[in-house]
């Protein structure tokens, strides 16, 4: 069925040695993240990317062994697909969101992807669009489970 589970000991090893962690994000957190990112950075997040950004910030703040790490969140959607949601978060008209979405900031990320490719090593895995990262994660969990169970 595509699911797997891990004991608390395995989860601790995954967190401590591989820096794999998880976080939950509420609808209110998503809305606040969209609003604060627009306010401070003038970058228009979509709700899906806001989940990753908020969770990343939360993990960096809450995990003492990750405080000095750099976390990068790649946008996984575009605000133009969520005009109503973004307009509610920013308290502006939907037509204003459409206008903001025409800004060129969201169109050219090839230079960013080049930086990621240069940084890839055993602690940094880049998954091209369409590649199934879940299989690699499952293999890692199974490997650690076999070692610690």
């Amino acid at each position: 069925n595509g699911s797997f589970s891990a004991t608390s000991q395995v989860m601790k090893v995954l967190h401590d040695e591989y820096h794999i962690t998880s976080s939950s994000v509420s609808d209110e957190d998503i809305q606040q993240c969209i609003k604060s990112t627009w306010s401070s950075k003038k970058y228009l997040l979509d709700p899906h990317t806001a989940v990753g950004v908020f969770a990343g910030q939360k993990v960096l703040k809450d995990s003492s062994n990750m405080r000095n790490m750099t976390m990068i969140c790649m946008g996984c959607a575009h605000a133009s697909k969520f005009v109503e949601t973004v307009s509610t978060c920013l308290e502006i008209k939907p037509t204003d969101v459409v206008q903001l979405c025409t800004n060129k900031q969201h169109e050219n990320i090839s230079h960013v992807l080049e930086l990621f490719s240069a940084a890839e090593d055993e602690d940094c895995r880049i998954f091209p669009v369409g590649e199934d990262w879940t299989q690699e994660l499952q293999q890692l969990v199974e490997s650690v489970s076999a070692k610690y169970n």
Side-chain angles (χ1 to χ4, degrees):
N1 67 9
S3 66
F4 59 95
S5 61
T7 65
S8 59
Q9 181 182 14
V10 168
M11 293 301 292
K12 181 171 177 21
V13 170
L14 289 171
H15 180 267
D16 293 348
E17 293 183 24
Y18 297 93
H19 306 293
I20 294 175
T21 189
S22 64
S23 185
S24 61
V25 180
S26 70
D27 288 345
E28 293 79 22
D29 296 335
I30 295 167
Q31 293 169 356
Q32 184 56 41
C33 186
I34 291 170
K35 188 173 185 173
S36 65
T37 301
W38 176 253
S39 176
S40 65
K41 307 282 188 217
K42 295 300 180 225
Y43 189 87
L44 197 56
L45 291 176
D46 64 89
H48 294 257
T49 304
V51 169
V53 169
F54 188 90
Q57 291 170 339
K58 184 175 174 183
V59 166
L60 289 176
K61 178 182 169 195
D62 295 346
S63 299
S64 60
N65 66 332
M66 296 180 80
R67 287 200 180 122
N68 294 323
M69 296 181 81
T70 299
M71 184 171 294
I72 300 170
C73 294
M74 295 293 290
C76 51
H78 192 281
S80 64
K81 294 173 70 175
F82 305 93
V83 171
E84 292 297 325
T85 302
V86 173
S87 69
T88 300
C89 294
L90 298 181
E91 300 172 353
I92 61 175
K93 297 182 288 186
T95 54
D96 292 336
V97 173
V98 171
Q99 183 65 34
L100 291 172
C101 287
T102 61
N103 186 320
K104 298 291 183 193
Q105 73 172 346
H106 297 89
E107 291 182 13
N108 186 2
I109 63 163
S110 60
H111 65 288
V112 175
L113 295 176
E114 288 171 14
L115 292 173
F116 282 122
S117 296
E120 187 170 354
D121 61 28
E122 64 187 42
D123 294 326
C124 174
R125 176 70 170 96
I126 297 165
F127 294 92
V129 173
E131 187 175 324
D132 184 11
W133 58 268
T134 58
Q135 183 177 4
E136 189 164 322
L137 177 60
Q138 183 171 354
Q139 289 170 348
L140 175 63
V141 171
E142 289 170 352
S143 170
V144 172
S145 294
K147 185 176 176 181
Y148 290 93
N149 282 335

